[in-house]
Coordinates of all heavy atoms in Angstrom, one line a residue:
V14 N -70.4 40.7 20.0 CA -71.0 39.8 19.2 C -70.7 40.1 17.7 O -70.4 41.2 17.3 CB -72.7 40.0 19.3 CG1 -73.1 39.7 20.7 CG2 -73.2 41.4 18.8
F15 N -70.7 39.0 17.0 CA -70.5 39.1 15.5 C -71.8 38.6 14.9 O -71.9 37.3 15.0 CB -69.3 38.4 15.1 CG -68.0 38.8 15.6 CD1 -67.2 38.1 16.5 CD2 -67.5 40.1 15.3 CE1 -66.0 38.4 17.0 CE2 -66.3 40.5 15.8 CZ -65.5 39.7 16.8
G16 N -72.6 39.4 14.4 CA -73.9 38.9 13.9 C -74.7 38.4 15.1 O -74.8 39.0 16.1
F18 N -73.7 35.6 16.7 CA -72.6 34.8 17.5 C -72.0 35.7 18.6 O -71.5 36.8 18.4 CB -71.5 34.3 16.6 CG -70.5 33.6 17.3 CD1 -70.7 32.3 17.7 CD2 -69.2 34.1 17.3 CE1 -69.7 31.6 18.3 CE2 -68.2 33.4 18.1 CZ -68.5 32.1 18.5
R19 N -72.0 35.2 19.9 CA -71.5 35.8 20.9 C -70.0 35.3 21.1 O -69.8 34.3 21.7 CB -72.2 35.5 22.3 CG -73.3 36.4 22.5 CD -74.0 36.2 23.8 NE -75.1 37.1 23.8 CZ -75.1 38.3 24.4 NH1 -74.1 38.6 25.1 NH2 -76.0 39.2 24.2
A20 N -69.0 36.2 20.8 CA -67.7 35.7 20.9 C -67.2 36.0 22.4 O -66.3 35.2 22.9 CB -66.8 36.6 19.9
L21 N -67.8 37.0 23.0 CA -67.4 37.2 24.4 C -68.8 37.4 25.1 O -69.6 38.1 24.6 CB -66.6 38.5 24.7 CG -65.2 38.5 24.3 CD1 -64.4 39.8 24.6 CD2 -64.4 37.2 24.8
I37 N -55.9 31.4 28.2 CA -55.7 30.1 27.4 C -57.1 29.6 27.1 O -58.1 30.0 27.6 CB -54.9 29.0 28.2 CG1 -55.6 28.6 29.5 CG2 -53.5 29.6 28.5 CD1 -54.8 27.5 30.2
G38 N -57.3 28.6 26.2 CA -58.6 28.1 25.9 C -58.5 27.6 24.5 O -57.6 27.9 23.8
P39 N -59.5 26.8 24.2 CA -59.5 26.2 22.8 C -59.6 27.2 21.6 O -60.0 28.4 21.9 CB -60.7 25.3 22.8 CG -61.5 25.7 23.9 CD -60.6 26.4 24.9
N40 N -59.5 26.8 20.5 CA -59.6 27.7 19.3 C -61.0 28.2 19.3 O -61.9 27.5 19.6 CB -59.3 27.0 18.1 CG -57.9 26.5 17.8 OD1 -57.6 25.3 17.9 ND2 -57.0 27.3 17.9
G41 N -61.1 29.5 19.0 CA -62.5 30.2 18.9 C -63.0 30.5 20.2 O -64.2 31.0 20.4
A42 N -62.3 30.4 21.3 CA -62.9 30.6 22.7 C -63.0 32.1 23.0 O -63.8 32.5 23.8 CB -61.8 30.2 23.8
G43 N -62.4 33.0 22.1 CA -62.6 34.4 22.3 C -61.4 35.1 22.7 O -61.4 36.3 23.1
K44 N -60.2 34.6 22.7 CA -59.0 35.1 23.4 C -58.5 36.4 22.5 O -58.3 37.4 23.1 CB -57.8 34.0 23.3 CG -58.2 32.8 24.1 CD -57.1 31.7 24.2 CE -56.7 31.1 22.8 NZ -57.8 30.4 22.1
T45 N -58.4 36.2 21.1 CA -58.1 37.3 20.4 C -59.1 38.4 20.3 O -58.7 39.6 20.4 CB -57.6 36.8 19.0 OG1 -56.6 35.9 19.0 CG2 -57.3 38.0 18.0
T46 N -60.3 37.9 20.4 CA -61.5 39.0 20.4 C -61.4 39.8 21.7 O -61.5 41.1 21.7 CB -62.8 38.3 20.4 OG1 -62.9 37.5 19.2 CG2 -64.0 39.4 20.5
L47 N -60.9 39.2 22.9 CA -60.6 40.0 24.1 C -59.6 41.1 23.9 O -59.8 42.2 24.2 CB -60.3 39.0 25.2 CG -59.8 39.7 26.6 CD1 -61.0 40.5 27.1 CD2 -59.3 38.6 27.5
L48 N -58.5 40.7 23.2 CA -57.5 41.7 22.9 C -58.0 42.8 21.9 O -57.7 44.0 22.0 CB -56.2 41.1 22.4 CG -55.5 40.1 23.2 CD1 -54.1 39.9 22.7 CD2 -55.3 40.5 24.7
D49 N -58.8 42.3 21.0 CA -59.4 43.3 20.1 C -60.3 44.3 20.7 O -60.3 45.5 20.3 CB -60.2 42.6 19.0 CG -59.3 41.8 17.9 OD1 -58.1 42.0 17.9 OD2 -59.9 40.9 17.2
V55 N -62.5 46.1 18.1 CA -64.0 45.8 18.1 C -64.7 46.4 19.3 O -64.1 46.7 20.2 CB -64.2 44.2 18.2 CG1 -63.6 43.5 16.9 CG2 -63.9 43.6 19.5
Q88 N -50.1 38.5 16.8 CA -49.6 37.0 16.6 C -48.4 37.1 15.5 O -47.4 36.4 15.8 CB -50.8 36.1 16.3 CG -50.4 34.7 16.3 CD -51.6 33.8 16.2 OE1 -52.7 34.2 16.5 NE2 -51.4 32.5 15.9
D163 N -50.0 38.3 21.9 CA -50.8 37.2 21.3 C -49.9 36.2 20.7 O -49.2 36.4 19.8 CB -51.8 37.8 20.2 CG -53.0 36.9 20.0 OD1 -53.0 35.7 20.5 OD2 -53.9 37.3 19.2
E164 N -49.8 35.0 21.4 CA -49.0 33.9 21.0 C -47.6 34.2 20.7 O -47.1 34.0 19.5 CB -49.7 33.1 19.8 CG -51.1 32.7 20.2 CD -51.8 31.6 19.3 OE1 -50.9 30.8 18.6 OE2 -53.0 31.6 19.2
I194 N -51.6 35.5 25.6 CA -52.4 34.4 25.1 C -51.4 33.4 24.5 O -50.5 33.8 23.8 CB -53.3 34.9 23.9 CG1 -54.3 35.8 24.5 CG2 -54.0 33.8 23.2 CD1 -55.2 36.6 23.4
H196 N -50.9 29.0 23.5 CA -51.3 27.6 23.4 C -50.3 26.6 24.0 O -50.6 25.6 24.3 CB -51.5 27.1 22.0 CG -52.9 27.6 21.5 ND1 -54.2 27.1 21.8 CD2 -53.2 28.7 20.6 CE1 -55.1 27.8 21.1 NE2 -54.6 28.7 20.4
L211 N -60.5 30.5 29.0 CA -61.8 30.9 28.4 C -62.4 29.8 27.5 O -61.7 28.9 26.9 CB -61.4 32.0 27.3 CG -61.4 33.4 27.7 CD1 -61.3 34.3 26.4 CD2 -62.4 33.9 28.6
Ligands
ATP303 N1 -64.5 39.8 12.8 C1 -65.2 38.7 13.1 N2 -66.3 38.4 12.4 C2 -67.1 37.3 12.6 N3 -66.6 36.3 13.6 C3 -65.5 36.5 14.2 C4 -64.7 37.7 14.0 N4 -63.6 37.6 14.8 C5 -63.7 36.4 15.5 N5 -64.9 35.8 15.1 C6 -65.3 34.5 15.6 O1 -65.3 34.6 17.0 C7 -64.8 33.5 17.7 C8 -63.8 33.8 18.6 O2 -62.7 34.0 17.9 P1 -61.2 34.4 18.4 O3 -60.3 34.8 17.3 O4 -61.3 35.3 19.5 O5 -60.7 33.0 19.0 P2 -59.4 32.6 19.8 O6 -59.7 32.2 21.1 O7 -58.4 33.8 19.7 O8 -58.9 31.3 18.9 P3 -57.5 30.8 18.4 O9 -56.9 30.0 19.5 O10 -57.9 30.0 17.3 O11 -56.7 32.0 17.9 C9 -64.5 32.5 16.6 O12 -65.6 31.6 16.4 C10 -64.3 33.4 15.4 O13 -64.6 32.7 14.2

Side-chain angles (χ1 to χ4, degrees):
V14 301
F15 298 116
F18 177 73
R19 270 182 185 265
L21 295 180
I37 63 178
N40 296 116
K44 304 180 297 295
T45 299
T46 302
L47 174 61
L48 297 196
D49 289 344
V55 302
Q88 187 167 341
D163 201 347
E164 304 202 20
I194 294 175
H196 284 282
L211 275 194

